[in-house]
Amino acid sequence: MSQGKKLSDVLSSEELRTFQQKSNLHATITLLWNWLVIFTAFAMVVVWPNPLTVIVGILLLAGRHQGLGVIMHDCAHHAFFKNKSMDDFVGQWLCGVPMNADMYAYRAYHLNHHKHAGTPEDPDIGFVRKYPVTRASIKRKFIRDFTGQTAFRDQLMRLKAFKLSKQWPWLVFHCSLLALLIWVGAGWAYLMWWVAELFIYPAIARLRQIGEHGVAENRSEQNARLNTGTTILPWWQKLLIAPNNVGYHVEHHMLASIPPYNLRRLHELLKERGYFDGYDCIAYGYGQVLRRAVQAS
């Protein structure tokens, strides 16, 4: 395959600097929106406790688990707020802690993924190495996710590594959340967080991983248009599956310093100027991602 246009052929240095500019306003709005959705998920069931609001609330919470992880990821790249210290604080305390994740450990791990994407040294290669897979295989994977097998396996590993000296902020957050819900007379609603994390979020994370690298044309090539995928999403998939512009993954791997709130505009400009011509790195919705992830019969 021809290597196509280079980035410098379609994007000037001045345009690149513009896309790399961070906005405290945009970052704050993104952060507040994610926490507002979490608040809304619980508020719905407190005010209108019924099966429908519980189901909607669980789905919203699962999507925001992804959302907090995405913000932590962007803060780990120092690509969210203008100030690196603010990125560190938000990524660790407002996004990592509720999910029992250490942003600093994640940063070291994830930068190796960018450095070695698609190669045997890529720490994430195990998640996507075998794609495309058979229809039966992908069905088994999602059954494990939706029945809690994936999450219980991961939680067991976390429990084995649990240290109160490190995990106490996570315990404080969850005790505070439970106490607040008990105070408003809906302590039972705390279980929604765990239903979302144990039975819905693993499938969401798997979908994201498949879209990012599982359906790439050639993972062994050090060209983001070959070893990475971008997924253009309808509004409901953005809300429930892939928030905060995380679908624009080719663009992120090309330029990890660009904040997430600028990725859509970058994608549109690159597409308009033919940067993706000749490459099959863009999918439209997770339905198309799943079809690409299944081996042709």
Side-chain angles (χ1 to χ4, degrees), residues 67 83 102 111 114 191-192 197 219 223 231 234 248 263 268:
N83 186 281
D102 184 336
L111 292 182
H114 274 260
L191 294 175
M192 291 169 49
E197 183 163 337
R219 284 186 292 272
N223 177 336
T231 310
Y248 296 103
L263 290 176
E268 291 172 350

Side-chain angles (χ1 to χ4, degrees), residues 200-215:
I200 308 296
Y201 174 67
I204 289 175
R206 189 182 300 279
L207 273 175
R208 176 184 55 77
Q209 291 163 351
I210 295 171
E212 289 175 353
H213 297 287
V215 294

Side-chain angles (χ1 to χ4, degrees), residues 160-234:
K160 289 180 177 179
F162 182 88
K163 292 183 179 179
L164 184 60
S165 60
K166 290 186 177 181
Q167 265 81 33
W168 67 264
W170 174 75
L171 286 175
V172 169
F173 168 81
H174 281 272
C175 288
S176 300
L177 176 60
L178 176 59
L180 176 61
L181 290 169
I182 291 173
W183 181 65
V184 299
W188 59 269
Y190 173 71
L191 294 175
M192 291 169 49
W193 181 283
W194 285 103
V195 172
E197 183 163 337
L198 296 177
F199 299 101
I200 308 296
Y201 174 67
I204 289 175
R206 189 182 300 279
L207 273 175
R208 176 184 55 77
Q209 291 163 351
I210 295 171
E212 289 175 353
H213 297 287
V215 294
E217 284 190 80
N218 190 338
R219 284 186 292 272
S220 64
E221 288 288 336
Q222 293 302 292
N223 177 336
R225 290 167 292 184
L226 290 172
N227 66 25
T228 305
T230 277
T231 310
I232 309 301
L233 303 167

Side-chain angles (χ1 to χ4, degrees), residues 5-261:
K5 295 181 179 180
K6 296 185 295 184
L7 188 61
S8 58
D9 293 333
V10 297
L11 196 68
S12 69
S13 298
E14 183 178 349
E15 288 172 323
L16 175 58
R17 285 192 295 271
T18 298
F19 281 114
Q20 288 174 320
Q21 287 180 0
K22 302 175 186 68
S23 166
N24 288 338
L25 177 61
H26 279 94
T28 301
I29 290 172
T30 301
L31 179 66
L32 291 178
W33 166 249
N34 280 262
W35 278 105
L36 177 62
V37 174
I38 292 172
F39 173 82
T40 301
F42 286 113
M44 281 193 311
V45 301
V46 172
V47 178
W48 303 293
N50 63 72
L52 179 60
T53 56
V54 169
I55 291 171
V56 172
I58 289 170
L59 293 176
L60 289 175
L61 286 174
R64 286 315 111 178
H65 289 179
Q66 181 87 285
L68 293 181
V70 171
I71 295 175
M72 184 186 75
H73 158 269
D74 295 322
C75 289
H77 279 288
H78 286 138
F80 201 55
F81 285 95
K82 290 184 177 181
N83 186 281
K84 290 185 177 181
S85 297
M86 190 66 172
D87 273 344
D88 288 345
F89 174 80
V90 168
Q92 177 71 0
W93 294 97
L94 300 185
C95 297
V97 162
M99 297 299 298
N100 197 16
D102 184 336
M103 185 197 67
Y104 299 103
Y106 170 79
R107 176 180 284 152
Y109 166 95
H110 185 67
L111 292 182
N112 276 328
H113 163 63
H114 274 260
K115 183 178 180 180
H116 303 292
T119 70
E121 290 77 31
D122 180 356
D124 284 345
I125 194 64
F127 295 124
V128 297
R129 179 189 291 115
K130 295 182 179 180
Y131 287 99
V133 296
T134 64
R135 188 176 300 275
S137 174
I138 205 165
K139 182 179 178 180
R140 286 195 300 269
K141 294 177 191 301
F142 281 106
I143 287 175
R144 289 198 298 268
D145 294 340
F146 285 121
T147 57
Q149 296 176 62
T150 303
F152 280 110
R153 177 203 64 197
D154 294 344
Q155 290 297 332
L156 183 60
M157 292 173 60
R158 288 182 175 183
L159 283 174
K160 289 180 177 179
F162 182 88
K163 292 183 179 179
L164 184 60
S165 60
K166 290 186 177 181
Q167 265 81 33
W168 67 264
W170 174 75
L171 286 175
V172 169
F173 168 81
H174 281 272
C175 288
S176 300
L177 176 60
L178 176 59
L180 176 61
L181 290 169
I182 291 173
W183 181 65
V184 299
W188 59 269
Y190 173 71
L191 294 175
M192 291 169 49
W193 181 283
W194 285 103
V195 172
E197 183 163 337
L198 296 177
F199 299 101
I200 308 296
Y201 174 67
I204 289 175
R206 189 182 300 279
L207 273 175
R208 176 184 55 77
Q209 291 163 351
I210 295 171
E212 289 175 353
H213 297 287
V215 294
E217 284 190 80
N218 190 338
R219 284 186 292 272
S220 64
E221 288 288 336
Q222 293 302 292
N223 177 336
R225 290 167 292 184
L226 290 172
N227 66 25
T228 305
T230 277
T231 310
I232 309 301
L233 303 167
W235 69 268
W236 65 272
Q237 291 185 11
K238 293 178 184 178
L239 177 66
L240 299 177
I241 301 175
N244 308 331
N245 282 341
V246 71
Y248 296 103
H249 207 60
V250 173
E251 297 77 7
H252 170 65
H253 265 263
M254 287 163 29
L255 297 161
S257 60
I258 293 182
Y261 39 80

